[in-house]
Amino acid sequence: MELLKEQIASQGTVISEGVLKVDSFLNHAIDPKLMEQIGKTFAEKFSGDGITKIVTLESSGIAPALMTSLNLDCELVFARKRKSLTMLDKLYTAEVYSFTKQQTSEIAISKELLSENDHVLIIDDFLANGQAAFGLIDIIKQSGASIAGIGIVIEKSFQPGREQLEEKGYRVESLARISSLSNGKVAFIEEG
Ligand code: G4P
Ligand code: NA
Ligand code: NA
């Protein structure tokens, strides 16, 4: 997606070999025009797939997921990172290990919000090691719902997330694919 790549190039900051900061439009501030186009682009890719529900993870997944659900005219649910201990029996939960933070956290979705009748599109802001995506997949499977694919705003293709998801047979659609963050520069995988 050209507009997204332009904004990454002009506003993104390479923090290290492995981390890209995009606070000005995705992780701290939100650019609504960009988000609108992100939603349209995901919707075009998955239109006709019978998606009933978008599932994402709070917080940065919510904006792109919302715009996609608006365009696909489907429901939206976001997994929460803090569990409500009193409601544990009413939740699907999964553990997610963050390599960035080097800690495991629990994510949860209320059992009322996902069912075996759902055909789910997973949306997230970043794909790195794929831990968040696999946690969401775990939860969706517990509900008996099926998974149409995974839509990612920014994929770090030099990290193993995409490959591992594809190995398991999942369709991954990323709007910007970064091949390297070496030497303080963002390099994209160019696609035809
Ligand atoms: P993984 O899910 O792909 O395995 O990634 P990881 O554990 O490393 O990611 C932890 C958090 O950092 C996630 O956000 C993820 O979206 C984000 N992240 C990973 N790599 C980058 C990067 O290069 N740049 C930025 N800006 N974020 C990255 P989170 O903790 O769930 O936070 P949020 O959704 O509240 O923003
Ligand atoms: Na994030
Ligand atoms: Na995220």
Side-chain angles (χ1 to χ4, degrees):
M1 194 182 129
E2 280 313 313
L3 179 63
L4 174 62
K5 289 204 267 184
E6 281 168 28
Q7 285 199 211
I8 293 169
S10 62
Q11 295 176 40
T13 309
V14 177
I15 299 290
S16 68
E17 290 263 310
V19 179
L20 173 71
K21 186 172 173 177
V22 284
D23 279 5
S24 68
F25 59 88
L26 187 59
N27 291 133
H28 198 0
I30 294 172
D31 180 329
K33 288 278 191 308
L34 174 70
M35 220 42 88
E36 184 179 38
Q37 199 172 317
I38 284 171
K40 281 186 183 153
T41 307
F42 279 136
E44 279 165 16
K45 291 181 188 295
F46 289 95
S47 72
D49 286 2
I51 309 291
T52 65
K53 202 163 279 180
I54 310 259
V55 170
T56 188
L57 177 57
E58 66 171 348
S59 56
S60 298
I62 294 175
L66 174 63
M67 296 316 296
T68 308
S69 71
L70 193 61
N71 281 282
L72 282 175
D73 194 18
C74 68
E75 293 173 20
L76 163 61
V77 176
F78 60 94
R80 293 181 141 174
K81 286 171 181 165
R82 277 156 298 141
K83 62 187 169 187
S84 161
L85 285 166
T86 54
M87 288 181 56
L88 211 49
D89 59 328
K90 294 182 179 159
L91 297 173
Y92 298 117
T93 66
E95 295 213 320
V96 173
Y97 178 75
S98 168
F99 288 93
T100 313
K101 295 171 184 160
Q102 301 212 334
Q103 66 185 31
T104 300
S105 61
E106 197 149 27
I107 64 171
I109 291 182
S110 167
K111 288 181 179 174
E112 289 176 359
L113 295 176
L114 263 184
S115 86
E116 60 196 8
N117 300 320
D118 281 315
H119 192 47
V120 172
L121 170 59
I122 296 169
I123 296 280
D124 209 358
D125 59 336
F126 267 90
L127 178 59
N129 294 292
Q131 295 301 304
F134 278 113
L136 292 172
I137 288 169
D138 184 344
I139 281 178
I140 294 161
K141 280 185 164 172
Q142 290 173 46
S143 77
S146 52
I147 298 170
I150 298 142
I152 297 292
V153 180
I154 302 176
E155 171 189 310
K156 293 188 291 182
S157 309
F158 55 90
Q159 293 181 323
R162 186 198 186 94
E163 206 176 298
Q164 288 175 2
L165 289 165
E166 285 185 333
E167 262 169 28
K168 299 275 182 196
Y170 294 105
R171 174 182 170 198
V172 180
E173 295 283 355
S174 303
L175 304 187
R177 301 184 69 197
I178 292 174
S179 57
S180 158
L181 293 172
S182 295
N183 305 317
K185 280 187 61 183
V186 183
F188 294 102
I189 293 179
E190 295 301 336
E191 284 164 299

